[in-house]
């Protein structure tokens, strides 16, 4: 039976950071967060695309310090809670404590789908700080459902309030989403969530499949602003769920307006499924690799699809962005010393 209440986390101000080379400004965050708060979006995620501490030469430097963006987001809300993402090894307890002091109410601790054990310290700290704490299992298409459940149980045991199936590459098909969500729902006592990418044009279908199997925590990105071809488009998702008599508490008209008036002008170009983002889903490659692959392709005079397919063949995961240059140089005939 479908749950009639769904809690949405808006991720455009974090996942969308990838699409605009981490160039959000304080003014942009203030305006968008204020409008999302006015539309009654319960959770709004704000941080570097790769989470707290992500501003670096490897992942891309932020135009504005993320702590200033988090502070601006918190000051722009009356009802919404600000969330942050943290990848252990990129973000540390220091950044998490600072984000909490600035007013962040939720932390989502993200690991590769086989590495949930590295999340224990940060999930536990989030609980100690009184934050809502989420386990975020990235690249969930890369393992069988039983392995996903094993890792989800670890996050649950560390104190996570919710565990997410994260389709980082936009590679999952609806029946694969159903199997994974159903297994977690039947075997966990905590909330189950789902985060989609639209690289195979399946973000909405996969999100609805997840909801039908019992997921109650769902991510969306307004105007589809996210890595690769973007995520499940929030204003569309809310409209569809309302048609299905599923309540989110979010004002549909206000979401439509802020998408058109505030977020659309931020995008360098409309989010759509290009040949590059399509290959991400086809090859099962982390969505945030797209811009890095295009830059490497230009440098080495290659087709970015060849780079992405080779990365998929090597089963490269988030955190291995340096491999993009290595693969490109090898394809171009250079030797790595």
């Amino acid at each position: 039976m479908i749950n009639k209440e769904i809690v949405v986390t808006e991720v455009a101000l974090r996942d969308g950071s990838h699409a605009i080379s981490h160039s959000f400004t304080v003014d942009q965050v203030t305006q968008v967060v204020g409008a999302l708060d006015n539309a009654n979006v319960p959770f709004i995620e704000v941080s570097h695309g790769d989470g707290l501490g992500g501003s670096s030469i490897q992942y891309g430097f932020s135009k504005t310090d993320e702590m200033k963006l988090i502070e601006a987001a918190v000051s722009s809300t009356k009802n919404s809670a600000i969330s942050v993402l943290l990848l252990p090894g990129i973000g540390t307890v220091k950044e998490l404590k600072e984000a909490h002091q600035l007013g962040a109410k939720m932390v989502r601790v993200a690991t590769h789908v086989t590495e949930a054990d590295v999340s224990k310290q940060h999930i536990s700290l989030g609980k100690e700080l009184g934050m809502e704490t989420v386990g975020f299992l990235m690249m969930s298409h890369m393992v069988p459902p039983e392995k996903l459940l094993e890792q989800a149980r670890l996050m649950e045991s560390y104190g996570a309030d919710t565990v997410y199936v994260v389709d980082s590459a936009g590679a999952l098909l609806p029946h694969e989403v159903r199997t994974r969500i159903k297994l977690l729902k039947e075997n966990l006592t905590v909330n189950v969530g789902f985060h989609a990418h639209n690289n195979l044009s399946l973000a909405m279908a996969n999100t609805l499949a997840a909801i039908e199997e019992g997921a109650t925590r769902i991510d969306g990105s307004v105007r589809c602003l996210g890595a690769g071809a973007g995520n499940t488009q929030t204003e569309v998702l809310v409209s569809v769920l309302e048609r299905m008599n599923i309540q989110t508490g979010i004002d549909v008209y206000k979401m439509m307006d802020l998408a058109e008036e505030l977020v659309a002008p931020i995008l360098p170009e409309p989010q759509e499924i290009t040949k590059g983002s399509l290959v991400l889903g086809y090859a099962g490659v982390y969505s945030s690799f797209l811009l890095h692959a295009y830059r490497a392709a230009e440098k080495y005079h290659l087709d970015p699809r060849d780079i992405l397919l080779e990365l998929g063949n090597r089963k490269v995961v988030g955190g291995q962005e340096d491999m993009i240059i290595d693969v490109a140089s090898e394809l171009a005939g250079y030797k790595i010393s």
Side-chain angles (χ1 to χ4, degrees), residues 12-320:
L13 295 175
R14 193 278 304 169
D15 210 318
S17 184
H18 293 295
I20 63 168
S21 300
H22 314 293
S23 63
F24 284 122
T25 66
V26 166
D27 285 346
Q28 288 171 338
V29 167
T30 297
Q31 291 180 18
V32 174
V33 168
L36 290 168
D37 181 74
N38 189 43
N40 205 35
V41 176
F43 291 96
I44 305 167
E45 192 160 74
V46 179
S47 54
H48 184 280
D50 291 286
L52 298 177
S55 181
S56 63
I57 191 169
Q58 182 176 12
Y59 302 108
F61 289 108
S62 298
K63 180 177 181 178
T64 306
D65 183 277
E66 65 184 338
M67 294 302 171
K68 292 182 179 178
L69 298 181
I70 293 167
E71 185 176 25
V74 171
S75 67
S76 303
T77 59
K78 295 180 180 177
N79 302 302
S80 303
I82 299 302
S83 172
V84 294
L85 186 79
L86 187 149
L87 282 69
I90 299 176
T92 68
V93 295
K94 177 181 179 292
E95 284 93 11
L96 179 54
K97 288 178 179 178
E98 185 175 355
H100 172 256
Q101 289 172 353
L102 291 172
K105 300 297 185 185
M106 180 166 75
V107 59
R108 308 207 298 178
V109 183
T111 76
H112 182 61
V113 68
T114 60
E115 298 175 357
D117 59 317
V118 305
S119 70
K120 183 176 182 179
Q121 179 185 21
H122 300 88
I123 289 177
S124 298
L125 177 60
K127 294 299 290 183
E128 289 174 19
L129 294 172
M131 304 175 79
E132 182 161 354
T133 309
V134 176
F136 210 65
L137 288 167
M138 302 186 296
M139 300 292 280
S140 287
H141 74 282
M142 292 186 73
V143 298
E146 294 73 22
K147 182 67 173 180
L148 178 67
L149 174 60
E150 170 195 290
Q151 298 296 297
R153 280 176 164 156
L154 287 177
M155 287 180 159
E156 180 184 47
S157 73
Y158 303 151
D161 301 302
T162 302
V163 177
Y164 263 74
V165 174
V166 183
D167 188 16
S168 314
L172 285 172
L173 304 178
H175 73 278
E176 295 171 320
V177 174
R178 288 185 182 280
T179 301
R180 286 160 172 75
I181 296 294
K182 186 174 188 291
L183 190 63
L184 265 60
K185 190 67 180 176
E186 290 176 346
N187 290 279
L188 300 182
T189 60
V190 297
N191 301 317
V192 175
F194 182 68
H195 173 100
H197 278 269
N198 202 40
N199 299 330
L200 293 178
S201 195
L202 289 172
M204 183 64 72
N206 284 343
T207 295
L208 294 180
I211 290 171
E212 288 168 358
E213 293 300 334
T216 56
R217 302 298 293 265
I218 297 295
D219 286 4
S221 61
V222 64
R223 200 72 177 193
C224 212
L225 177 54
N231 309 97
T232 310
Q233 193 165 343
T234 312
E235 65 273 24
V236 180
L237 173 65
V238 173
S239 301
V240 170
L241 293 181
E242 193 162 296
R243 287 284 304 275
M244 295 173 67
N245 197 32
I246 296 174
Q247 304 305 312
T248 64
I250 299 173
D251 189 301
V252 173
Y253 277 15
K254 289 180 179 178
M255 287 300 302
M256 292 178 180
D257 290 344
L258 73 91
E260 195 85 8
E261 297 164 10
L262 296 179
V263 178
I266 296 174
L267 274 69
E269 56 189 24
Q271 288 289 92
E272 59 183 358
I273 302 172
T274 63
K275 60 185 178 183
S277 55
L278 177 56
V279 169
L280 291 171
Y282 178 72
V285 177
Y286 200 59
S287 291
S288 67
F289 283 11
L290 185 60
L291 289 181
H292 297 287
Y294 269 109
R295 289 168 183 158
E298 183 177 1
K299 179 178 180 180
Y300 290 98
H301 308 290
L302 297 168
D303 188 323
R305 292 172 293 186
D306 291 335
I307 298 173
L308 292 166
L309 283 171
E310 182 58 25
L311 291 168
N313 290 337
R314 298 188 187 191
K315 299 188 182 301
V316 173
V317 301
Q320 294 181 305

